[in-house]
Amino acid sequence: MSIPEEIQRKMADEWIPFIYREKIRTQRTRSHFLDIQEKENAVEIQYSLLGIEMKVRNMSFACPELSTARYLRVFARLGIRDFAIPYDISRISGIADELESSWQKTLLILEKASVEKTPQVKGRMRASLIKSIRKQIRIIGPGPKMPSFNQSTKQRED
């Protein structure tokens, strides 16, 4: 069993692609695109005079508020360019918490699995894990650019 498969099995419903598929894509979302490299990225959240920004390498992305920046950071860190973001901003904070906790737990399990490995092997294991997460999220997909609003109103009958 490969390292990504082993970690996915241990994480179960805390696995990032599982959370993405079952808790994010099942609700009304809109797709989001980040113009970043598809590899692990160092990501910082910065507070500026213009508001909150997420910095990935030498690029900055304006964010409307901190919870959105935290949500985007998870995907940017993994090098995921196309993904869905909840349309209801009140749900972003809780999901960002879940995704960040999942990422930290994933790293802890990876660290335990690679305790007696050389730095080169640890690096390959981490890269393989991130590539697997990125691939699974790509398969699930980002969904539509804008959600559909198929709701009837009192003014007209459908």
Side-chain angles (χ1 to χ4, degrees):
M1 183 180 294
S2 71
I3 287 296
E5 290 170 343
E6 183 181 326
I7 292 174
Q8 180 178 353
R9 184 184 55 75
K10 287 180 181 176
M11 295 287 292
D13 61 351
E14 293 179 290
W15 178 241
I16 290 175
F18 181 87
I19 294 168
Y20 182 75
R21 184 181 65 242
E22 299 299 323
K23 296 186 179 178
I24 297 169
R25 291 293 290 124
T26 55
Q27 59 184 295
R28 182 176 284 162
T29 60
R30 59 185 167 84
S31 66
H32 191 78
F33 176 79
L34 288 176
D35 190 16
I36 59 172
Q37 294 181 346
E38 284 194 351
K39 63 179 190 176
E40 185 176 12
N41 294 297
V43 182
E44 293 178 45
I45 294 176
Q46 299 178 331
Y47 301 89
S48 71
L49 294 173
L50 301 173
I52 297 172
E53 294 181 336
M54 180 181 69
K55 187 171 182 181
V56 182
R57 299 188 183 268
N58 61 347
M59 297 176 291
S60 292
F61 301 93
C63 298
E65 30 73 41
L66 181 59
S67 59
T68 301
R70 289 176 42 238
Y71 181 89
L72 297 176
R73 177 174 56 187
V74 172
F75 294 95
R77 182 184 288 139
L78 296 167
I80 300 169
R81 298 166 52 110
D82 281 310
F83 54 92
I85 186 166
Y87 193 76
D88 181 356
I89 62 169
S90 66
R91 296 183 179 187
I92 295 175
S93 181
I95 292 174
D97 289 344
E98 257 188 273
L99 291 170
E100 287 178 331
S101 295
S102 175
W103 174 243
Q104 293 305 318
K105 188 172 179 180
T106 301
L107 291 179
L108 286 172
I109 293 171
L110 177 65
E111 185 62 33
K112 286 180 184 176
S114 63
V115 96
E116 294 181 8
K117 310 286 185 192
T118 66
Q120 295 81 9
V121 172
K122 286 181 182 182
R124 284 195 299 271
M125 290 169 69
R126 185 175 175 124
S128 171
L129 174 67
I130 290 170
K131 188 176 181 180
S132 174
I133 292 171
R134 194 169 40 242
K135 180 181 177 186
Q136 289 181 32
I137 290 179
R138 185 180 304 124
I139 290 169
I140 298 165
K145 288 267 185 223
M146 288 298 291
S148 60
F149 294 97
N150 297 335
Q151 297 176 340
S152 61
T153 64
K154 290 183 181 180
Q155 286 89 13
R156 65 172 192 203
E157 296 289 324
D158 287 336

